[in-house]
């Protein structure tokens, strides 16, 4: 729902959603627009992205693994108001639902351009280790569809009543100014994370030490905040100039902090030509190291919140961010880098 508020009269109007054809677009066009951005709408603390589809291949738009090792298959419907297209995502269930762990691992390494196994990546993301036989025991089907598409949503209700885990991922489009189309689409989550959409200028970012110590050391020696590969690298785009970033080392705690300079830079991951464009980073002004690291239990005690530190990055409310920074200053835990 998108609301238009007149700040003078305080009157609220609900903007009317429209169909894509109102903008001379169809869902094939939207698929092209969204294709390189869909992974940014996944929450990496709940899902590990395995792959995105390639042209001319019979593949879903995206596939991911959840914390229990279940396969999550995403598909953007080909055409509005044609519920028969829902059968396409079910066909992918037939094709990919029988894949063994070794098959999924091969897909993951191929599409993620990494030597890290799917099992190890899953452990790093969720903090739990599951047996290879637990992968892909169940499948969840997610159909990306227009909120006005009643036929598809009714078909989803039917299949859910039959015991199939099919879920809608709703988008809506609205008319903006002149040739502007507004797209409303929330991030896909398995469950609600109250920190997901916090944007109050304070963030905690994992230094990636569990995946590669080189990345951790690079952030600390260069005084920067970085993330690598799709979809994690896109987290860096969120920072604005002056945002306070706490660098968090898994198993230790907050090891450094600084203020984002607002200048997004893109480089080859670990300077390897085959990974061109796979590192997104910003330099941190007023960069300081934390000695000893501020542990997860200390963060919980200071903020009164039991944060989960498995994901790449999450936001803090301003009060919590200020409390952490003040505590580090008052207890002489900050050292100039």
């Amino acid at each position: 729902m998108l609301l238009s508020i007149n700040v003078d009269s305080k009157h609220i109007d609900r903007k009317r959603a429209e169909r894509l054809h109102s903008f001379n677009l169809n869902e094939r066009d939207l698929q092209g627009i969204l294709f390189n951005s869909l992974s940014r709408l996944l929450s990496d603390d709940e899902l590990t992205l395995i792959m995105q589809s390639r042209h001319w291949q019979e593949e879903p738009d995206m596939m991911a693994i959840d914390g229990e090792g279940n396969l999550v298959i995403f598909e953007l419907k080909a055409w509005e108001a044609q519920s028969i297209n829902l059968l396409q995502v079910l066909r992918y269930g037939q094709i990919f639902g029988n894949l063994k762990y070794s098959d999924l691992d091969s897909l993951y390494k191929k599409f993620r351009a990494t030597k890290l196994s799917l099992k190890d990546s899953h452990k790093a993301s969720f903090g739990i280790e599951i047996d290879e036989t637990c992968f892909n025991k169940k499948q969840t089907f997610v159909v990306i569809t227009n909120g006005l598409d009643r036929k598809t949503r009714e078909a989803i209700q039917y299949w859910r009543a039959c015991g199939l885990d099919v879920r809608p991922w709703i988008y809506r489009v609205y008319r903006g100014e002149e040739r502007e189309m507004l797209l409303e689409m929330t991030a896909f989550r398995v469950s609600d994370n109250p920190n997901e959409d916090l944007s109050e200028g304070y963030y905690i970012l994992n230094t990636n030490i569990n995946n590669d110590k080189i990345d951790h050391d690079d952030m600390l020696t260069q005084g920067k905040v970085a993330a690598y590969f799709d979809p994690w690298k896109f987290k860096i785009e969120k920072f604005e100039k002056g945002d306070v970033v706490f660098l968090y080392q898994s198993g230790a705690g907050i090891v450094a902090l600084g203020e984002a300079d607002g200048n997004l830079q893109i480089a080859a991951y670990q300077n390897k030509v085959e990974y061109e464009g796979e590192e997104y980073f910003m330099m941190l002004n007023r960069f300081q190291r934390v000695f000893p690291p501020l542990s997860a239990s200390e963060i919980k005690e200071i903020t009164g919140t039991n944060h989960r530190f498995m994901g790449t990055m999450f936001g803090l409310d301003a009060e919590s961010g200020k409390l952490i920074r003040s505590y580090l200053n008052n207890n002489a835990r900050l050292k100039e880098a």
Side-chain angles (χ1 to χ4, degrees):
M1 181 187 300
L2 191 64
L3 300 177
S4 174
I5 302 175
N6 185 307
V7 295
D8 296 319
S9 66
K10 308 299 189 294
H11 180 70
I12 295 178
D13 281 322
R14 180 174 177 175
K15 289 189 71 69
R16 184 173 63 87
E18 302 194 27
R19 295 192 181 277
L20 288 171
H21 63 71
S22 301
F23 303 93
N24 295 318
L25 298 173
N26 58 41
E27 291 203 3
R28 291 290 190 200
D29 299 320
L30 181 64
Q31 186 177 37
I33 294 170
L34 287 180
F35 181 78
N36 291 322
S37 301
L38 281 177
S39 58
R40 305 185 192 201
L41 295 169
L42 293 186
S43 47
D44 66 291
D45 60 332
E46 291 188 336
L47 293 170
T48 295
L49 182 65
I50 294 179
M51 57 159 286
Q52 285 186 265
S53 64
R54 299 165 294 180
H55 293 299
W56 315 116
Q57 300 290 324
E58 190 173 16
E59 298 169 340
D61 291 322
M62 292 190 299
M63 287 201 305
I65 289 290
D66 68 13
E68 297 179 350
N70 299 322
L71 188 65
V72 185
I73 299 174
F74 295 82
E75 180 67 11
L76 175 64
K77 276 183 66 265
W79 307 106
E80 283 185 327
Q82 292 187 21
S83 58
I84 192 173
N85 287 315
L86 180 61
L87 298 177
Q88 181 63 54
V89 73
L90 303 183
R91 172 164 170 74
Y92 291 138
Q94 288 181 295
I95 297 173
F96 295 96
N98 291 321
L99 295 185
K100 307 288 187 188
Y101 168 79
S102 57
D103 302 316
L104 294 176
D105 185 53
S106 295
L107 276 175
Y108 176 76
K109 290 177 179 177
K110 180 177 181 180
F111 282 86
R112 311 307 304 157
T114 179
K115 295 180 180 179
L116 195 69
S117 71
L118 176 60
K119 184 177 178 180
D120 288 340
S121 178
H122 181 276
K123 181 180 178 181
S125 296
F126 301 106
I128 56 175
E129 185 171 1
I130 61 175
D131 190 81
E132 293 180 4
T133 59
C134 293
F135 283 86
N136 202 17
K137 295 185 72 173
K138 296 180 181 179
Q139 296 82 41
T140 295
F141 306 93
V142 181
V143 181
I144 307 170
T145 185
N146 193 319
L148 299 178
D149 191 349
R150 178 178 57 83
K151 290 183 179 180
T152 297
R153 296 177 74 177
E154 287 178 345
I156 290 172
Q157 287 181 335
Y158 168 78
W159 286 110
R160 286 187 66 85
C162 293
L164 200 63
D165 190 0
V166 185
R167 308 178 191 182
W169 189 7
I170 305 300
Y171 72 86
R172 291 181 174 86
V173 293
Y174 303 89
R175 190 168 298 280
E177 298 179 1
E178 297 182 359
R179 292 185 53 78
E180 180 185 35
M181 182 183 80
L182 304 177
L183 175 67
E184 178 187 29
M185 189 175 190
T186 59
F188 181 83
R189 297 203 63 92
V190 177
S191 60
D192 183 52
N193 180 352
N195 295 309
E196 174 70 18
D197 299 314
L198 277 178
S199 183
E200 296 197 316
Y202 291 85
Y203 299 91
I204 290 181
L205 182 132
N206 195 292
T207 61
N208 205 41
I209 193 170
N210 283 342
N211 292 329
D212 199 322
K213 188 175 182 297
I214 293 176
D215 302 333
H216 168 87
D217 292 341
D218 185 48
M219 285 191 226
L220 295 184
T221 56
Q222 298 298 319
K224 67 181 186 181
V225 56
Y228 319 98
F229 297 100
D230 179 352
W232 306 281
K233 64 184 182 181
F234 301 123
K235 302 281 187 181
I236 306 301
E237 295 177 333
K238 189 170 184 176
F239 297 132
E240 297 181 3
K241 185 176 181 179
D243 284 349
V244 176
V245 183
F246 299 101
L247 298 183
Y248 184 88
Q249 176 184 338
S250 295
I254 293 175
V255 292
L257 65 91
E259 298 176 3
D261 70 358
N263 179 30
L264 176 66
Q265 299 187 59
I266 301 174
Y269 174 63
Q270 295 186 358
N271 296 316
K272 298 177 181 178
V273 294
E274 64 268 33
Y275 297 145
E276 185 63 43
E278 297 297 351
E279 177 185 343
Y280 280 34
F281 70 95
M282 284 189 193
M283 302 307 296
L284 295 174
N285 297 324
R286 301 178 65 185
F287 185 71
Q288 295 173 296
R289 301 284 292 270
V290 178
F291 296 101
L294 190 68
S295 69
S297 60
E298 289 179 299
I299 296 170
K300 177 182 178 180
E301 183 178 350
I302 293 167
T303 64
T305 303
N306 188 20
H307 296 288
R308 293 181 67 244
F309 296 94
M310 296 302 175
T312 302
M313 185 187 85
F314 61 88
L316 293 168
D317 62 275
E319 181 181 1
S320 293
K322 291 175 182 177
L323 284 172
I324 292 174
R325 199 173 192 181
S326 176
Y327 178 88
L328 294 174
N329 269 313
N330 293 338
N331 290 274
R333 302 267 291 261
L334 295 177
K335 308 293 181 183
E336 296 300 324

